[in-house]
Amino acid sequence: MMPKQPNILFIICDDLAWGDLSCHGNPHISTPHLDQMRATGTSLSGYRSGPLCTPARACLMTGRYQQRTRAIDTYCGRSMIDPSERTLAQVLGGAGYRTGLFGKWHLGDCHPMRPCDLGFDDSLWHRGGGIGQQGDHPSNHAKHAAGGGSYFNPVCCRGTEDVATTGYCTDVFTDAAIEFVSHPHQAPFFAYLAFNAPHTPLEVGAEWAQPFLNAGLPDKAAQLYGMVANIDHNVGRIIAALDQHGLSESTLLVFTSDHGPCGSAKINGKTRWNADLRDYKGSLFEGGVRVPCLLRWPGTLQADHRIDAPTHPIDWLPSFAALCGAETPTDRCIDGVDLSPALLASEPVPERDLFFQWHRGDTPEIERNAGLLRWPWKWYSDKNCTEHLFNLSTDPLERHNLIAAEGQRADTMRADYRNWFTEVGSERCNNYDPPPITVGGAATNVRLSRNDWRVIGPDGWSENERGRWWITAPEHGRFTVSLSFDPGAPIENCCLAVDAELYRGGTTQTIDLAAGPHLIEAWCTDQKARRSALYVELSTPD
């Protein structure tokens, strides 16, 4: 019998492809624990996610398309979720669940968008879009910039405080999740375990890569598959912990990925094996959005059962709310559908349209890298606005574009997409500006990074670009501002601009901020170039 309030343990990987699992036919790797999940549980074989990190996570956390949430891209201020959104953690927390996040968040690094601000009671997470990226802790970024090793012993954030960890990142996050779910407690739990692997950089312990080197694979491929093998190992550790503590029959375990593989992870000059699915991460062809989705719930879910109907990250919030006795928000549009009847009673998933869109830039552009899936038909206007139409039931590898032969169908689907684009944009009045970062008040120490800045001019986050941060101060206050720059950059003339006021001096300055919104920019100059600050830290004096 299904428990009244089952535990939920949700595992999501970064860049894991449909074809990275041996149960999906990969000839290079064995993933025994994931294969066993598929054989003894239910798989959503029509699950499509992505097409990039932040959009997938915004959909998952809110049950809403990312355009409604402001979290439309991965950097330059476009990966911060609107703090007025209701997250899965808040919805389940409202039903008595204790909530924990371990790993990648990528929906905002500063108040009021951190995990602890949006419903997570416990968290061990890395900042930015990946360990070592711009936006992550300075020491991780310095290791990455020096040539690697950032996935080992990373500095992470425990709640709001930086903490040093020991070990490989996937192991570290798994350790924290196991500790959380194993802790005796009367309340059910929602644990969100978000691996940043196998996203680049391709780094893993030699013991994981060596078997693939021995098999004759090149180093990059060996590192990649070593990372996947380590993920499989850690899934096995999670399952063993649930079994050991008698939690398996009361816990729904989900394993999936945020999108398809990175196109730069080549094997012998070719994109890594992905069951011949077309294209990769960022694209809306099947290789970019179709990913594994495996569910384990002994005694409740059917074994070796497949649900082929299209499903999407927007479906998790209404599904988990129904399973857990929580209230789905009624004051906003929830785009997902409740999958629990399909999971528990083999009822069909409701027929509906699924929409996809992502590209760089501050504002979504109509028909640019956008798609509509109306099973079995898929309309897709690619990054160059070239249109495609596929019948996935007869052409799952998308080799035959039927746009000319099925012109009327394409016209109808295009028109329906355009209506959707207008509707989701109208919720924000077509304003996709990010929410401001709070400094002062509860946010006594804030580290601004290029991941969250708004660019001035060409899009980017290097020291050669310009950007500024949108902040707000709840009350008047005095702040110590510390500037840091890329390793090795000569620091001579440091400048800090706050609105229209310019401060010149060293890397540490003291400023007063009036209550309200502000724009901050920081840089230094030498004889050759103007260099933007890597981090700007604001703290309130003791």
Side-chain angles (χ1 to χ4, degrees):
M1 179 180 295
M2 186 186 85
K4 184 178 180 181
Q5 284 192 303
N7 303 309
I8 304 291
L9 204 167
F10 196 99
I11 303 175
I12 182 170
C13 300
D14 194 351
D15 279 19
L16 184 81
W18 168 269
D20 283 341
L21 277 57
S22 53
C23 60
H24 291 163
N26 192 297
H28 304 296
I29 190 172
S30 174
T31 51
H33 299 292
L34 293 170
D35 294 359
Q36 183 72 3
M37 273 191 71
R38 185 178 186 272
T40 60
T42 293
S43 59
L44 302 184
S45 55
Y47 187 74
R48 289 163 176 85
S49 185
L52 228 63
C53 306
T54 290
R57 286 163 172 76
C59 291
L60 188 163
M61 279 290 154
T62 65
R64 291 153 51 83
Y65 286 114
Q66 72 268 18
Q67 288 87 344
R68 300 187 192 277
T69 73
R70 298 197 193 188
I72 60 172
D73 194 10
T74 60
Y75 75 154
C76 293
R78 303 188 288 262
S79 62
M80 294 188 285
I81 194 168
D82 193 298
S84 68
E85 291 292 329
R86 290 276 293 168
T87 69
L88 255 174
Q90 291 169 317
V91 168
L92 296 184
Y97 277 69
R98 59 190 185 97
T99 57
L101 176 144
F102 312 99
K104 177 169 176 170
W105 173 237
H106 206 184
L107 292 173
D109 296 336
C110 300
H111 184 79
M113 295 153 284
R114 302 164 299 180
C116 62
D117 302 319
L118 293 175
F120 285 99
D121 305 319
D122 189 10
S123 58
L124 180 71
W125 55 292
H126 67 77
R127 294 179 173 88
I131 294 177
Q133 288 186 9
Q134 303 196 48
D136 194 21
H137 190 275
S139 67
N140 298 338
H141 177 68
K143 286 194 292 184
H144 177 68
S150 57
Y151 280 16
F152 296 89
N153 308 324
V155 175
C156 295
C157 199
R158 188 98 214 189
T160 61
E161 301 297 324
D162 293 335
V163 294
T165 68
T166 302
Y168 182 64
C169 57
T170 306
D171 302 332
V172 167
F173 296 136
T174 303
D175 289 343
I178 289 176
E179 180 183 5
F180 177 79
V181 304
S182 302
H183 183 71
H185 206 288
Q186 291 185 339
F189 63 74
F190 167 54
Y192 179 72
L193 176 55
F195 298 135
N196 55 292
H199 192 291
T200 53
L202 302 179
E203 295 178 352
V204 73
E207 69 275 18
W208 294 102
Q210 193 60 49
F212 300 99
L213 292 171
N214 294 344
L217 291 178
D219 181 66
K220 279 190 176 181
Q223 295 289 327
L224 167 66
Y225 285 126
M227 295 169 84
V228 177
N230 175 264
I231 288 171
D232 182 79
H233 165 74
N234 278 296
V235 170
R237 291 179 60 212
I238 288 284
I239 292 173
L242 294 176
D243 290 345
Q244 177 186 349
H245 294 280
L247 295 169
S248 286
E249 292 190 357
S250 60
T251 301
L252 171 59
L253 172 63
V254 180
F255 176 89
T256 190
S257 178
D258 57 357
H259 47 65
C262 177
S264 64
K266 305 285 187 180
I267 299 174
N268 294 332
K270 299 179 180 179
T271 301
R272 72 185 192 240
W273 192 90
N274 197 21
D276 292 328
L277 295 178
R278 185 172 176 178
D279 227 338
Y280 41 81
K281 170 183 176 179
S283 162
L284 299 183
F285 288 114
E286 292 290 272
V289 296
R290 192 178 180 198
V291 294
C293 189
L294 311 175
L295 294 82
R296 177 186 189 264
W297 194 357
T300 299
L301 297 183
Q302 294 183 53
D304 196 21
H305 179 58
R306 287 180 22 158
I307 296 176
D308 294 327
T311 49
H312 188 278
I314 55 176
D315 298 331
W316 294 120
L317 186 142
S319 301
F320 291 163
L323 288 169
C324 301
E327 294 185 8
T328 299
T330 58
D331 61 343
R332 64 201 67 200
C333 177
I334 300 297
D335 296 300
V337 301
D338 175 12
L339 301 178
S340 62
L343 296 174
L344 301 179
S346 298
E347 294 184 14
V349 175
E351 293 186 5
R352 41 55 190 276
D353 293 340
L354 288 176
F355 298 90
F356 302 84
Q357 181 154 15
W358 169 82
H359 54 78
R360 297 293 187 202
D362 287 340
T363 305
E365 299 172 21
I366 198 163
E367 294 184 34
R368 183 179 172 200
N369 204 35
L372 163 56
L373 178 59
R374 177 177 292 161
W375 187 260
W377 294 94
K378 179 178 176 182
W379 172 84
Y380 176 29
S381 179
D382 65 23
K383 294 178 182 179
N384 298 316
C385 297
T386 300
E387 289 187 272
H388 308 260
L389 185 70
F390 304 104
N391 184 331
L392 295 182
S393 65
T394 59
D395 182 24
L397 302 183
E398 300 172 306
R399 299 298 188 256
H400 307 291
N401 187 359
L402 302 177
I403 196 75
E406 293 279 352
Q408 184 174 353
R409 187 186 304 276
D411 290 345
T412 299
M413 294 181 73
R414 184 191 315 108
D416 291 341
Y417 155 77
R418 293 177 72 95
N419 289 336
W420 169 84
F421 182 89
T422 300
E423 192 274 323
V424 293
S426 67
E427 186 165 330
R428 296 287 177 196
C429 300
N430 295 306
N431 179 3
Y432 294 93
D433 289 343
I437 294 168
T438 300
V439 299
T444 55
N445 293 279
V446 176
R447 181 185 297 126
L448 306 176
S449 77
R450 294 183 198 147
N451 193 74
D452 294 339
W453 74 1
R454 301 294 284 168
V455 293
I456 305 170
D459 209 25
W461 61 355
S462 76
E463 65 175 5
N464 300 317
E465 269 89 36
R466 288 184 60 191
R468 56 192 179 187
W469 292 270
W470 294 0
I471 64 171
T472 185
E475 58 191 15
H476 176 273
R478 170 160 289 194
F479 296 85
T480 298
V481 183
S482 301
L483 312 181
S484 55
F485 297 85
D486 286 274
I491 302 171
E492 296 184 9
N493 303 304
C494 292
C495 298
L496 174 69
V498 181
D499 302 323
E501 190 166 358
L502 180 64
Y503 300 82
R504 296 182 182 273
T507 56
T508 301
Q509 303 184 35
T510 300
I511 64 171
D512 286 302
L513 287 179
H518 301 278
L519 289 173
I520 286 186
E521 185 180 2
W523 67 94
C524 69
T525 59
D526 59 24
Q527 295 179 350
K528 296 181 179 180
R530 178 190 191 280
R531 308 173 192 275
S532 290
L534 179 61
Y535 302 101
V536 176
E537 300 191 44
L538 295 92
S539 59
T540 53
D542 295 333

